[in-house]
Amino acid sequence: VLIPISLYVSIEVVKLGQIYFIHNDLDLYNQQLDSRIQCRALNITEDLGQIQYLFSDKTGTLTENKMVFRRCSIYGVEYPHEENARRLEVYEADRSEEGSGRSVTLQSGRSRSLSCRHSSVSLHTLTAEEEEEELTNHSQPSTRAFCSRVAKEVLPDPELVRKLNWFLSPALALSDGSSGAPSSLELTYITDFFLALAICNSVVVSSASQPRHVVREEQTSLKSLEEIKTMFQRLSFSPFSALSILSPPQIKASPHSLAHRMFARGKTGSLDFPPSSNSTTDESESSLEGTLETSSLRPKPDLSSRVMEGNSGQTAGREVKDDVIDSKTDGARQDAEDLTLEEDCKSEADEELLYEAESPDEAALVYAAQAYCCTLRGRSAESLTVDLPGIGSLSVPLLHILPFDSDRKKMSVVVRHPLTGQVVVYTKGADSAIMDLTGAPKGADEAQEIYRHIREQTQNHLDSYAREGLRTLCIAKKVLEEEELEISLTLLGSTGIVDRLQEEVPETIEALQKAGIKVWILTGDKKETAVNIAYACKLLGPNDQLLTASCESKDACAALLLELQLEVDRSGVPAAGNPGKCRSDGGAGFILKSQVVRLVRDQLAVMTLAVGDGANDVSMIQVADVGIGISGQEGMQAVMSSDFAISRFKHLRKLLLVHGHWCYARLANMILYFIYKNVMFVNLLFWYQFFCGFSGSVMTNAWVLILFNLLFTSVPPLLCGVLDQHTAAHTLMQLPQLYSASKVSVPHMFWVTVLDAFYQSLVCFFVPYCAFAGSSVSVLSFGSPINASALLIILLHQVIESPTLTWIHALVWLLSAASYFGFVLLFESGDVTLCSGGFAGGNNDDGGGPAEGGR
Amino acid sequence: MMASSYNAKEEDANHPGAANHAGAGVVKSKKPDNTAFKQQRLPAWQPILTAGTVLPAFFVIGLIFIPIGIGLYVTSNNIKEFEIDYTGANIDNPCYNCAKNFSWNSTAQCVCAVTFTLEQPFESNVFMYYGLSNFYQNHRRYVKSRDDSQLNGDRSALTNPSKECEPYRRSEGSPIAPCGAIANSLFNDTLQLYHIDSNGTLNEIPLVKKGIAWWTDKHVKFRNPGGNNNLTVAFQGTSKPVNWKKPVFELDPEDPENNGFINEDFIVWMRTAALPTFRKLYRIIQKKASTTPTLPSGKYVLNVTYNYPVLSFDGRKRMILSTISWMGGKNPFLGIAYITVGSICFFLGVVLLIIHHKYDNRNNSADIPN
């Protein structure tokens, strides 16, 4: 009676209840973001318990997506930034401590120690501390996730600082890189490098006191620069054929009138700077850059005096400027220089600057540049304000921005160089994109030789960065002469940015693998980076055999993948804990991700789960059986298309191992119980057919029949599906192996349940039958004790079957039984004229007694 | 019901949290409430079956069920019951001729006398039943072939019976009262009981026909149309059921209060039996004031006016005399069932106890892993 519909409805209600509990789980709540898990799909809770393949994005999913500048290579020279690395390690150690202890005193202590080490940026530390306090109080969600303290503070490399300090020497020629001495060429590279870091981005600057004083307008490119825009687009796509398209008049017409003035000003400024007072710069700035905010104008005299001090203090260092190795020995002096430089920065950074970037990489690079006193101060549609070490604030006329896009994998800015007045293109992008475009500059053989050396070194450094798991970017520039155009870019250097793993990622992946889930990471990174990350998050163990497959086209890749997967499956390698590990080539990007997921899902017929945080993961999330979005730094697209949205990767562990397991087991048991209940009850009616000539007559009131599933026994299965805990949560967390062991043997359990129901209904029917045989019992009097005993036995059955009994269970059973007896009494006494047989006659006895005993 | 209980809990859990945040005046945190219910940490009792719980359970069930079973069995055995078949299927049965010569059209009544002997005297009130076998009063179409409104005295239903009564709804143009197959098949044998005393004379035993129907049936469910005065007028315009010899208002020629729809024999018949072999209360033999038993042992004659043919569907007719007890009529099954179940439980308990004692290893049973 009513099996399909009521079962369907019950399943839906049970899933709703399961979602309710998942949604309210404290362990899936992220204090820092003040976000719970979002359950966007209400009907796939049981799928969480049957996942066999897990596909994960890397950036932002496994990692924080909080980029921190780690090291860089300029002019083919590596600057390891060891201090910086040590600081990061200290921070991580602290954080893990915090994870275990989580005490306020510990946090404040750590903050203080950092501020001691870093007295020059105490203001930063202070605000960071506040931020930390906020986080611990979890009173307000942090809106400045990008500007975490770690990302903002970059300890400069002493070697690089020393070289920068030489640059402060007024005697140095700044103008032309190619004509200078090798060391000055290197210095030019260094300054250009940091200038590129500071300006080649779309970062919006704001300060704590005045939030976002310059509104960035992406669309307002100068109309007169349309030609350059087109030129650059052509250039970037087909650099070697671009020359013919460009004609001198176009380039000549390009500079804006304002740009002309700026050019002139910049030139004079750069030439006049060392002797001249700052007031001229101030005036020219205020007059020419009226649009810039006043807050970008710092107390200049103070700065200049400090700069002069620094210069005077460095006269000793200048003597050894040509010999890097010699100067290295002079450690003490170097420290002194560091201090002066930091002092400089400090005075300028009185007002805290906040950078908001489209991607965390950009912010990290800008902060890195800031650490070398190359500070981005403000941004307007036409110009950027940049502090340069030893020079002070400069306005860099911004001619055009070619924003980042994933096809080109690079972005460029076209500016008029404030010092040389040349039109310069700074380009930042993936190494694959940049390295191809860099060519030897025109000039002497010697210069070409040097440049080739730089390229080789930089490439070596890039490879080593990738092996460390760093994200690599290349910085290049090109000087656009008014008439001539150089095709090849000049490689300045490269950066390595570290993106730390989220907390508990290795543990989570380890647990998931123990649970029998095959974890794949789909990433567009370099192979070395991907392998390194895989080791870091324990996806690959030290003993695992690494199979590497590479292919050219998408189709070939798909075929290869499948072959590889089948191979891996057949050879039983996964048993040793070696999951498939896939590197999708960045070019095909997100389409390939979804193809990989679809391939595995369809060909292997397995339950797949995809987890990702960015827009490029959307297709993968949609294709997988269960899509999980990580609400992180890359917008809401992944969350919007996901079934569940979590905030940290580690939440997957409890979501799958505990909630998935529970939901799956609960739903399975609920359905079994539901089938039992109905088979048991309907069979009572079936047995009666033997005694009514198979006429289809029932011994029960029609209303009781209807309400039996609808009311009297409707809630107990729901309890079974929502509340039961076959295994405790902590046990499931500790023993991930239980996840795969939870798969119940469905046909076996089903038939056992049905047989049990048959047996119970036999007892329930034939005990009253024998007791009433031959007596004067009427139809409904005969049915009443059968129904009552069946109901009680169905409820008692749950007592035996249910692993956990709470007061809710007791209440529900009481109400269920009471509702039956109440209904029968009320209905039949109130309506005795129409329905006979409320009270069992003289021969009535409780048939339930022996039946219960028979159980 | 489920929903309401859930809502209540949710509100309970939310209130303290809301109060906290209102005081601080900050945006309400999305942090889930740390309550036992929401975090699924409700104190739960996990029924783990161990020797310590199962063995006592078996013994307790055994010890409770066996006495109950014995009590039921003894009570059932003390009930005196006598049963005699008077269908006339066999040639040696006194009613053989009546059964064989039965015809719907004959107006002459066929009477047969069945003699029997009661070995033991029947004390207290004796209930006289007629029993039918292989009579499917619970057939789906038979059960619903009645009009309860008509039987309740509704005048419009009297003249226009429910369609459920088809094909026993109208006869010769006028509505049948009472309509339907149940009423049409009313049991209409007349049974008389005579005691043959030592002298050989027949003493008729007084049979009480009042009080054989349920009180609610007689006073609530069944009513005559237009009260009980002048049923002939009330039932004017209706015809008797086709198989009846008399109209409904002449069912009991002796007691005018027992006519029409509230005739108790009729009411008893209308309460359909659950099983194809059933008995229905016919008369009550009331206990005499004196110390003599209601029915002393000895020879009796049952006079049957044979009106009800059952041989056509291979049915059987019986007359049953029975005393009753607190547990109803004679039925040893329940007692036996209780004794059996109790014995099995007790036996299992003993067996398991022995196994438990013999193979129990304290070291292992001390900590049962989950």
Side-chain angles (χ1 to χ4, degrees):
Chain A
V1 183
L2 300 173
I3 287 180
I5 295 295
S6 58
L7 177 61
Y8 185 78
V9 171
S10 295
I11 287 174
E12 292 300 310
V13 173
V14 159
K15 284 178 176 176
L16 217 59
Q18 291 175 345
I19 290 287
Y20 173 81
F21 279 118
I22 292 176
H23 186 65
N24 274 295
D25 193 332
L26 210 54
D27 291 340
L28 304 181
Y29 168 75
N30 186 346
Q31 280 196 341
Q32 298 182 3
L33 300 176
D34 187 35
S35 70
R36 299 184 190 190
I37 182 172
Q38 290 178 47
C39 305
R40 303 173 51 81
L42 302 181
N43 55 356
I44 55 167
T45 50
E46 80 278 10
D47 287 356
L48 290 175
Q50 314 172 66
I51 299 299
Q52 291 163 288
Y53 278 76
L54 188 147
F55 297 90
S56 175
D57 175 38
K58 186 177 81 73
T59 309
T61 305
L62 297 177
T63 62
E64 296 266 19
N65 207 9
K66 286 176 184 168
M67 306 297 174
V68 181
F69 180 82
R70 173 66 186 76
R71 57 205 306 179
C72 66
S73 158
I74 311 170
Y75 191 64
V77 180
E78 225 267 288
Y79 301 97
H81 288 71
E82 277 159 5
E83 286 263 315
N84 203 25
R86 236 174 284 136
R87 189 179 59 88
L88 285 176
E89 280 163 17
V90 167
Y91 178 76
E92 279 191 40
D94 275 349
R95 225 172 47 135
S96 59
E97 241 176 89
E98 174 195 9
S100 57
R102 223 172 245 294
S103 68
V104 177
T105 48
L106 191 74
Q107 283 178 1
S108 60
R110 185 198 54 210
S111 303
R112 215 167 291 130
S113 71
L114 270 175
S115 61
C116 287
R117 292 181 50 160
H118 221 51
S119 59
S120 54
V121 281
S122 60
L123 198 69
H124 286 203
T125 324
L126 260 177
T127 48
E129 212 170 333
E130 277 170 21
E131 203 174 294
E132 286 288 320
E133 297 289 56
E134 278 176 12
L135 293 182
T136 48
N137 292 340
H138 59 80
S139 54
Q140 210 172 10
S142 166
T143 55
R144 286 170 292 172
F146 284 18
C147 318
S148 73
R149 193 184 55 209
V150 192
K152 275 191 277 190
E153 292 172 7
V154 176
L155 286 184
D157 192 75
E159 176 77 21
L160 195 54
V161 168
R162 201 167 44 79
K163 287 186 181 172
L164 259 181
N165 281 337
W166 295 344
F167 173 72
L168 300 180
S169 148
L172 245 139
L174 295 166
S175 51
D176 199 2
S178 58
S179 64
S183 64
S184 62
L185 176 70
E186 182 177 356
L187 286 183
T188 318
Y189 267 72
I190 293 172
T191 40
D192 271 336
F193 179 79
F194 285 117
L195 190 62
L197 288 191
I199 64 174
C200 181
N201 52 49
S202 54
V203 168
V204 181
V205 187
S206 62
S207 68
S209 54
Q210 280 167 294
R212 195 181 296 197
H213 47 81
V214 178
V215 179
R216 182 168 59 93
E217 294 166 352
E218 278 182 292
Q219 302 305 319
T220 57
S221 58
L222 296 176
K223 267 191 180 173
S224 60
L225 290 180
E226 278 300 323
E227 296 90 347
I228 289 196
K229 182 182 173 184
T230 52
M231 176 189 89
F232 259 87
Q233 276 166 350
R234 281 177 196 141
L235 183 69
S236 61
F237 283 126
S238 55
F240 298 103
S241 62
L243 196 62
S244 57
I245 302 165
L246 295 165
S247 56
Q250 276 181 318
I251 300 193
K252 273 189 175 169
S254 60
H256 193 256
S257 57
L258 176 66
H260 269 299
R261 272 186 283 145
M262 297 293 273
F263 169 72
R265 189 202 66 85
K267 235 173 187 172
T268 53
S270 69
L271 290 173
D272 296 343
F273 176 67
S276 74
S277 72
N278 287 290
S279 58
T280 53
T281 323
D282 258 345
E283 281 168 14
S284 61
E285 269 188 3
S286 55
S287 59
L288 287 169
E289 305 171 43
T291 54
L292 282 182
E293 281 295 318
T294 50
S295 69
S296 66
L297 305 172
R298 303 147 313 283
K300 279 292 164 74
D302 183 34
L303 167 75
S304 71
S305 62
R306 280 174 182 271
V307 169
M308 298 315 279
E309 275 172 32
N311 288 348
S312 58
Q314 280 165 220
T315 41
R318 244 181 289 143
E319 290 171 3
V320 283
K321 65 188 172 188
D322 287 337
D323 198 343
V324 175
I325 300 147
D326 281 3
S327 66
K328 262 185 182 170
T329 57
D330 200 350
R333 190 172 296 155
Q334 231 171 271
D335 286 349
E337 289 164 5
D338 292 353
L339 260 175
T340 48
L341 191 66
E342 281 186 23
E343 288 283 307
D344 288 348
C345 288
K346 171 67 193 96
S347 63
E348 287 162 22
D350 267 339
E351 191 170 19
E352 189 198 2
L353 292 173
L354 296 173
Y355 297 125
E356 291 174 30
E358 273 180 353
S359 83
D361 302 71
E362 289 192 336
L365 291 179
V366 177
Y367 281 117
Q370 192 185 25
Y372 289 98
C373 299
C374 201
T375 313
L376 180 67
R377 285 259 154 215
R379 168 186 289 274
S380 72
E382 292 94 12
S383 66
L384 296 157
T385 314
V386 183
D387 285 353
L388 285 181
I391 298 169
S393 182
L394 288 176
S395 175
V396 182
L398 180 63
L399 303 180
H400 190 67
I401 294 180
L402 293 170
F404 181 84
D405 79 56
S406 53
D407 288 335
R408 299 195 308 128
K409 290 195 282 187
K410 58 179 174 285
M411 78 167 284
S412 301
V413 291
V414 186
V415 296
R416 190 169 288 281
H417 196 285
L419 303 178
T420 62
Q422 292 166 319
V423 176
V424 184
V425 184
Y426 288 109
T427 305
K428 179 182 77 178
D431 49 353
S432 60
I434 299 286
M435 289 307 251
D436 293 343
L437 296 177
T438 53
K442 285 179 185 173
D445 287 348
E446 192 192 359
Q448 283 194 358
E449 187 66 32
I450 292 170
Y451 187 71
R452 199 177 307 123
H453 177 70
I454 293 172
R455 276 198 61 174
E456 282 170 12
Q457 284 301 310
T458 310
Q459 187 62 54
N460 289 343
H461 296 149
L462 281 173
D463 293 344
S464 73
Y465 290 172
R467 276 194 293 276
E468 283 178 50
L470 301 180
R471 298 163 68 87
T472 54
L473 281 176
C474 285
I475 311 292
K477 79 156 186 179
K478 180 163 96 163
V479 178
L480 287 179
E481 298 297 339
E482 294 289 327
E483 295 86 10
E484 74 164 325
L485 184 83
E486 278 179 296
I487 290 155
S488 52
L489 298 166
T490 308
L491 183 68
L492 292 172
S494 65
T495 58
I497 297 171
V498 67
D499 188 8
R500 284 175 301 111
L501 286 179
Q502 288 183 10
E503 70 278 14
E504 291 179 41
V505 163
E507 292 87 341
T508 305
I509 288 187
E510 203 179 9
L512 292 178
Q513 286 192 300
K514 274 188 192 166
I517 301 172
K518 299 193 178 65
V519 182
W520 289 31
I521 295 178
L522 306 181
T523 173
D525 283 339
K526 290 167 73 70
K527 196 183 91 190
E528 290 80 7
T529 312
V531 170
N532 186 281
I533 289 285
Y535 278 116
C537 59
K538 295 196 183 172
L539 183 59
L540 291 175
N543 301 323
D544 284 338
Q545 189 188 354
L546 198 63
L547 301 175
T548 314
S550 56
C551 45
E552 296 301 315
S553 72
K554 266 195 257 175
D555 296 339
C557 193
L560 190 68
L561 258 180
L562 189 62
E563 206 175 295
L564 193 68
Q565 180 54 42
L566 292 173
E567 183 78 19
V568 167
D569 271 1
R570 222 181 296 121
S571 59
V573 178
N578 183 12
K581 167 115 177 64
C582 170
R583 163 183 170 248
S584 75
D585 271 317
F590 53 95
I591 303 172
L592 195 58
K593 277 186 182 179
S594 69
Q595 281 178 339
V596 169
V597 175
R598 180 178 287 123
L599 196 71
V600 170
R601 191 195 64 181
D602 293 346
Q603 297 293 326
L604 301 178
V606 290
M607 189 69 83
T608 54
L609 180 147
V611 53
D613 75 322
N616 60 339
D617 304 316
V618 167
S619 60
M620 171 171 88
I621 287 171
Q622 283 170 337
V623 165
D625 296 292
V626 180
I628 293 190
I630 299 220
S631 46
Q633 322 242 329
E634 289 195 19
M636 294 297 288
Q637 288 102 321
V639 170
M640 296 307 277
S641 59
S642 66
D643 300 316
F644 297 89
I646 55 179
S647 46
R648 308 299 282 176
F649 186 78
K650 65 172 180 179
H651 291 167
L652 268 184
R653 190 175 175 184
K654 189 168 187 196
L655 184 64
L656 293 184
L657 297 187
V658 177
H659 286 294
H661 185 112
W662 274 352
C663 288
Y664 180 59
R666 284 169 173 174
L667 200 71
N669 285 301
M670 189 280 262
I671 292 174
L672 283 181
Y673 180 68
F674 202 92
I675 290 172
Y676 151 81
K677 184 186 86 170
N678 281 281
V679 168
M680 153 99 176
F681 186 69
V682 172
N683 263 302
L684 297 176
L685 305 180
F686 176 67
W687 303 130
Y688 188 62
Q689 302 310 304
F690 289 97
F691 304 100
C692 70
F694 294 98
S695 61
S697 136
V698 293
M699 71 291 198
T700 313
N701 185 295
W703 280 105
V704 173
L705 276 186
I706 291 168
L707 294 179
F708 193 84
N709 262 339
L710 207 64
L711 189 67
F712 307 141
T713 61
S714 60
V715 188
L718 301 186
L719 280 189
C720 182
V722 175
L723 290 181
D724 278 359
Q725 300 176 10
H726 284 254
T727 320
H730 60 88
T731 314
L732 288 173
M733 288 292 272
Q734 281 164 8
L735 300 171
Q737 293 87 341
L738 293 173
Y739 183 80
S740 48
S742 73
K743 311 283 177 291
V744 285
S745 165
V746 173
H748 166 248
M749 283 305 295
F750 174 78
W751 290 115
V752 165
T753 306
V754 168
L755 281 180
D756 193 15
F758 260 88
Y759 162 71
Q760 291 186 26
S761 72
L762 273 177
V763 172
C764 261
F765 181 81
F766 282 99
V767 168
Y769 170 78
C770 292
F772 286 125
S775 76
S776 61
V777 69
S778 69
V779 174
L780 294 179
S781 314
F782 179 65
S784 289
I786 292 178
N787 281 337
S789 61
L791 181 87
L792 292 178
I793 286 172
I794 283 172
L795 296 181
L796 278 172
H797 184 80
Q798 198 186 14
V799 177
I800 293 171
E801 291 285 309
S802 180
T804 47
L805 305 176
T806 65
W807 61 267
I808 299 177
H809 287 76
L811 184 74
V812 165
W813 292 326
L814 205 69
L815 288 177
S816 289
S819 67
Y820 172 74
F821 288 110
F823 173 80
V824 169
L825 276 177
L826 280 176
F827 180 76
E828 307 210 346
S829 64
D831 227 323
V832 75
T833 53
L834 293 177
C835 306
S836 56
F839 306 96
N843 241 355
N844 186 6
D845 205 330
D846 179 26
E852 284 160 31
R855 276 284 302 156
Chain B
M1 196 173 64
M2 183 75 179
S4 67
S5 67
Y6 261 53
N7 284 341
K9 261 181 280 298
E10 214 171 335
E11 278 170 16
D12 283 352
N14 272 341
H15 273 305
N20 286 345
H21 286 294
V26 293
V27 183
K28 191 171 180 253
S29 168
K30 283 185 193 158
K31 186 177 182 177
D33 300 313
N34 192 3
T35 56
F37 174 72
K38 288 195 175 182
Q39 301 307 318
Q40 307 195 59
R41 286 188 271 101
L42 281 179
W45 177 61
Q46 199 150 13
I48 298 171
L49 300 180
T50 62
T53 55
V54 171
L55 287 179
F58 273 123
F59 284 119
V60 166
I61 290 174
L63 290 178
I64 291 175
F65 275 33
I66 291 174
I68 291 177
I70 290 173
L72 286 169
Y73 190 71
V74 169
T75 314
S76 174
N77 274 358
N78 285 339
I79 293 169
K80 301 205 171 56
E81 191 173 277
F82 177 82
E83 192 171 307
I84 187 166
D85 187 306
Y86 69 92
T87 317
N90 300 320
I91 198 151
D92 53 347
N93 193 288
C95 293
Y96 177 72
N97 283 329
C98 285
K100 202 178 146 196
N101 300 327
F102 181 81
S103 143
W104 289 106
N105 300 326
S106 80
T107 50
Q109 296 204 326
C110 178
V111 178
C112 53
V114 185
T115 56
F116 61 94
T117 307
L118 290 182
E119 307 290 343
Q120 290 179 322
F122 280 43
E123 312 283 348
S124 180
N125 286 350
V126 177
F127 292 77
M128 185 180 184
Y129 301 89
Y130 58 89
L132 295 172
S133 298
N134 205 25
F135 193 107
Y136 285 85
Q137 249 203 325
N138 56 9
H139 193 280
R140 185 171 55 86
R141 295 193 60 195
Y142 182 88
V143 165
K144 65 178 187 179
S145 181
R146 63 193 284 165
D147 187 343
D148 281 314
S149 311
Q150 191 191 48
L151 298 174
N152 199 33
D154 188 89
R155 289 215 67 96
S156 62
L158 182 72
T159 51
N160 186 21
S162 157
K163 288 197 170 59
E164 303 280 356
C165 286
E166 293 286 5
Y168 302 104
R169 184 160 169 257
R170 304 186 81 88
S171 147
E172 297 158 4
S174 53
I176 295 177
C179 74
I182 308 178
N184 191 51
S185 58
L186 175 69
F187 180 83
N188 56 357
D189 281 355
T190 308
L191 306 178
Q192 285 168 305
L193 199 57
Y194 298 91
H195 180 231
I196 307 172
D197 63 14
S198 47
N199 304 329
T201 54
L202 294 180
N203 300 324
E204 182 167 7
I205 295 169
L207 303 175
V208 177
K209 62 176 87 168
K210 261 192 177 305
I212 58 171
W214 287 30
W215 186 90
T216 46
D217 282 357
K218 173 140 177 134
H219 294 95
V220 181
K221 200 170 171 185
F222 289 81
R223 282 197 204 117
N224 278 325
N228 285 337
N229 35 7
N230 208 344
L231 293 177
T232 320
V233 177
F235 282 99
Q236 211 165 30
T238 65
S239 62
K240 67 177 174 61
V242 288
N243 287 357
W244 286 23
K245 293 193 157 67
K246 298 177 282 189
V248 70
F249 46 88
E250 290 170 9
L251 279 176
D252 190 347
E254 293 153 21
D255 184 0
E257 296 295 305
N258 197 24
N259 268 323
F261 293 148
I262 58 169
N263 176 278
E264 294 202 21
D265 285 324
F266 174 68
I267 293 173
V268 167
W269 181 256
M270 293 302 285
R271 177 170 280 270
T272 52
L275 298 168
T277 298
F278 61 91
R279 64 176 67 166
K280 283 185 182 289
L281 190 54
Y282 184 65
R283 296 289 183 263
I284 300 170
I285 305 164
Q286 282 190 324
K287 185 180 162 185
K288 289 165 189 161
S290 62
T291 51
T292 55
T294 320
L295 289 180
S297 58
K299 287 197 165 183
Y300 290 84
V301 174
L302 177 69
N303 252 9
V304 179
T305 312
Y306 203 107
N307 295 323
Y308 203 72
V310 294
L311 281 178
S312 58
F313 55 90
D314 204 21
R316 292 290 181 274
K317 295 194 287 190
R318 290 160 295 143
M319 191 281 298
I320 301 137
L321 295 171
S322 172
T323 60
I324 60 163
S325 71
W326 57 267
M327 62 166 281
K330 190 180 182 79
N331 191 332
F333 170 79
L334 270 185
I336 293 170
Y338 269 97
I339 290 171
T340 309
V341 170
S343 306
I344 289 172
C345 284
F346 198 85
F347 175 73
L348 277 178
V350 171
V351 169
L352 291 177
L353 188 66
I354 292 169
I355 292 173
H356 179 61
H357 268 283
K358 203 167 177 182
Y359 296 100
D360 181 32
N361 191 339
R362 282 284 156 210
N363 297 336
N364 287 349
S365 66
D367 50 344
I368 299 165
N370 279 343

